[in-house]
Amino acid sequence: MDKAEVKSRLEALRWMREEEKTFLECIEQAKRIYIGVAGIESSKQLSTYINYMLERKAACRQRETEIRQWLKLVTDANARQVLMQRYINNCTVEQTAEKLCYSASMIYKLQHKGITEISVALNSERTPKELRKNGERVPERHTLKATNKELTKSLKQELT
């Protein structure tokens, strides 16, 4: 998996979390709308909507678990903290910079470093930590062996 796909999945979690935040608000709004409406059709629509939102919430939890596993692959503690703030705690770059006492540009650099390490680890049989321990250089994106077609195919299969 290349860096773009890793970042895309991380960003997807951020969007899912935003959607989850509004979950209860949407349900309450739907209930208010349908309380005055008589008939079974309204309750079916509300039930369908609630089931959809519960499925999205479960998908968000599953994605979060996957990303927490990815964060364990990051060897730089600062980069891991940045990714944790950005994608698990759903903070903006500015909020992350303030919490961790870094500049915004440093947050971007550490985020890029963490995403690169995740990408390398997912495409390698050994983790970046193991490579460094043996004195080997961690490969950059252009040296990764997985092809874009294989990655796109596997991503499509996961999403369907």
Side-chain angles (χ1 to χ4, degrees), residues 10-145:
L10 291 170
E11 289 296 331
L13 176 67
R14 287 176 56 92
W15 285 108
M16 290 173 108
R17 283 190 160 279
E18 286 298 320
E19 187 179 66
E20 186 180 349
K21 279 183 183 178
T22 59
F23 171 69
L24 292 175
E25 293 171 11
C26 292
I27 296 299
E28 289 303 315
Q29 182 181 6
K31 284 180 181 176
R32 280 195 301 271
I33 291 170
Y34 292 121
I35 277 181
V37 179
I40 296 176
E41 191 61 35
S42 298
S43 64
K44 283 182 182 177
Q45 289 175 343
L46 180 60
S47 177
T48 301
Y49 182 73
I50 290 172
N51 288 336
Y52 167 76
M53 292 305 291
L54 290 173
E55 288 172 9
R56 297 290 296 162
K57 186 175 181 178
C60 181
R61 292 289 175 241
Q62 184 178 2
R63 175 69 52 93
E64 183 178 338
T65 302
E66 176 186 30
I67 289 173
R68 285 185 184 275
Q69 293 298 317
W70 287 1
L71 292 176
K72 292 177 183 177
L73 301 172
V74 179
T75 58
D76 183 335
N78 295 328
R80 190 178 323 108
Q81 276 187 316
V82 167
L83 292 176
M84 181 74 80
Q85 289 297 321
R86 293 279 291 133
Y87 298 108
I88 300 298
N89 297 337
N90 216 24
C91 295
T92 64
V93 170
E94 293 77 19
Q95 291 169 334
T96 303
E98 187 177 319
K99 285 182 180 181
L100 301 178
C101 299
Y102 289 125
S103 66
S105 63
M106 187 62 166
I107 295 299
Y108 284 115
K109 288 176 186 174
L110 289 169
Q111 179 176 321
H112 177 76
K113 181 178 182 178
I115 289 172
T116 300
E117 284 194 25
I118 291 170
S119 175
V120 168
L122 293 175
N123 288 298
S124 175
E125 294 173 5
R126 296 180 291 166
T127 65
K129 188 174 187 176
E130 291 169 339
L131 291 171
R132 285 193 186 98
K133 186 176 180 181
N134 296 331
E136 298 175 49
R137 187 170 169 265
V138 177
E140 287 297 321
R141 178 178 172 200
H142 62 277
T143 62
L144 299 176
K145 294 181 180 179

